[in-house]
Amino acid sequence: MITFIVCLLAGLGAGLGTGFAGMSAAAVISPMLIAFLHMDAYQAIGIALASDVLASAVSAYTYGKNKNLDIKNGLVMMFTVMIFTFVASYLASFIPSTTMGGFSTFMTMLLGIKFIVKPVMTTKETMAATDPKKRIIQSIICGTVIGCICGFVGAGGGMMMLLILTSVLGYELKTAVGTSVFIMTFTALTGALSHFAIGGTPDLVVLILCIVSTLIFARVAAVLANKAPAKLLNQATGVILVILGAAIIAVQYVF
């Protein structure tokens, strides 16, 4: 019963974070599995990344259906991220469990505060004015950094992408989230497969419960996010990130 409750709550937080903010499910699921189910960090990260795959895919589909997805430029970053996710995931297997999973927590809260205090009000017209060549170069550089974080830490990739897409590449929020979850679908798949290939078969019950719960809540969140006006979405995204960040800190340092 405790396993079901933990996985359901983890899926709730991860799904809302993914659908609303393009947040990596690993940022929520990993610490909860480690703290409450006493799971090995490497296996927990693998399960979290696996949960990310379908949740990000259904979110990307929802954003794409509402024309809030930049596939062309997203592909450039995606391939770079995938390569370095695999490399970093392999290197992570040699790192002690205690060093994994803590990086993205504070970043999640800070990014949430940023959206509340300084909303991203960029329009698609402003996006179109950005130099395509400059954006491609930035995407490659940023993709390298994000891939290392996603594979090595197992979390933070979604937050890094959202931060970079909105602050560096000048995306409006909905397109940034849509593009982020599109990329995460493939980076999470790469990370999950490499984790399972190296670390072995995970706990299948926990894996299935986390995947299903995250998928359901991500779908609900993505539908609501695409209907919300920009300012309200910024505020909702900010509040969710701050709450999730605080909850993750509580799980990591209190329990």
Side-chain angles (χ1 to χ4, degrees):
M1 187 62 180
I2 184 66
T3 298
F4 176 78
I5 294 174
V6 170
C7 292
L8 179 63
L9 292 177
L12 170 62
L16 292 179
T18 300
F20 270 111
M23 180 180 180
S24 172
V28 178
I29 294 176
S30 299
M32 290 194 68
L33 296 184
I34 294 168
F36 296 114
L37 300 184
H38 308 292
M39 185 175 288
D40 173 73
Y42 194 75
Q43 182 180 165
I45 290 171
I47 290 175
L49 289 171
S51 301
D52 241 341
V53 179
L54 291 180
S56 294
V58 74
S59 297
Y61 169 78
T62 304
Y63 278 89
K65 189 177 180 180
N66 288 275
K67 299 182 179 180
N68 291 315
L69 172 59
D70 184 2
I71 295 179
K72 182 179 179 180
N73 289 297
L75 285 172
V76 176
M77 185 180 290
M78 182 190 77
F79 285 115
T80 308
V81 171
M82 285 180 66
I83 292 171
F84 285 92
T85 295
F86 180 80
V87 174
S89 182
Y90 173 74
L91 294 176
S93 65
F94 299 101
I95 304 299
S97 296
T98 53
T99 65
M100 296 184 187
F103 169 78
S104 67
T105 306
F106 294 102
M107 182 179 177
T108 298
M109 291 189 67
L110 291 175
L111 191 57
I113 293 172
K114 174 187 178 298
F115 284 129
I116 295 173
V117 176
K118 189 178 180 181
V120 177
M121 302 303 291
T122 306
T123 63
K124 291 185 178 180
E125 289 73 20
T126 305
M127 283 177 55
T130 305
D131 182 7
K133 292 182 179 179
K134 179 181 179 181
R135 179 168 288 172
I136 289 176
I137 295 173
Q138 290 175 326
S139 295
I140 293 173
I141 295 173
C142 295
T144 301
V145 176
I146 294 168
C148 289
I149 292 173
C150 186
F152 180 71
V153 183
M159 290 297 91
M160 284 293 292
M161 276 189 278
L162 187 60
L163 178 63
I164 288 170
L165 289 171
T166 54
S167 301
V168 179
L169 301 182
Y171 279 58
E172 58 94 22
L173 185 55
K174 289 183 182 179
T175 305
V177 175
T179 305
S180 176
V181 290
F182 169 73
I183 295 172
M184 279 204 305
T185 301
F186 300 96
T187 59
L189 177 62
T190 304
L193 291 177
S194 57
H195 268 70
F196 295 153
I198 297 166
T201 304
D203 186 316
L204 294 180
V205 173
V206 174
L207 176 65
I208 293 172
L209 287 174
C210 286
I211 288 177
V212 173
S213 58
T214 305
L215 173 63
I216 293 172
F217 289 112
R219 169 62 176 170
V220 172
V223 170
L224 293 176
N226 277 278
K227 293 181 179 179
K231 188 173 183 179
L232 178 60
L233 179 59
N234 271 271
Q235 294 172 337
T237 300
V239 170
I240 288 173
L241 291 179
V242 171
I243 292 175
L244 287 177
I248 295 167
I249 289 176
V251 169
Q252 290 179 325
Y253 299 104
V254 177
F255 294 98

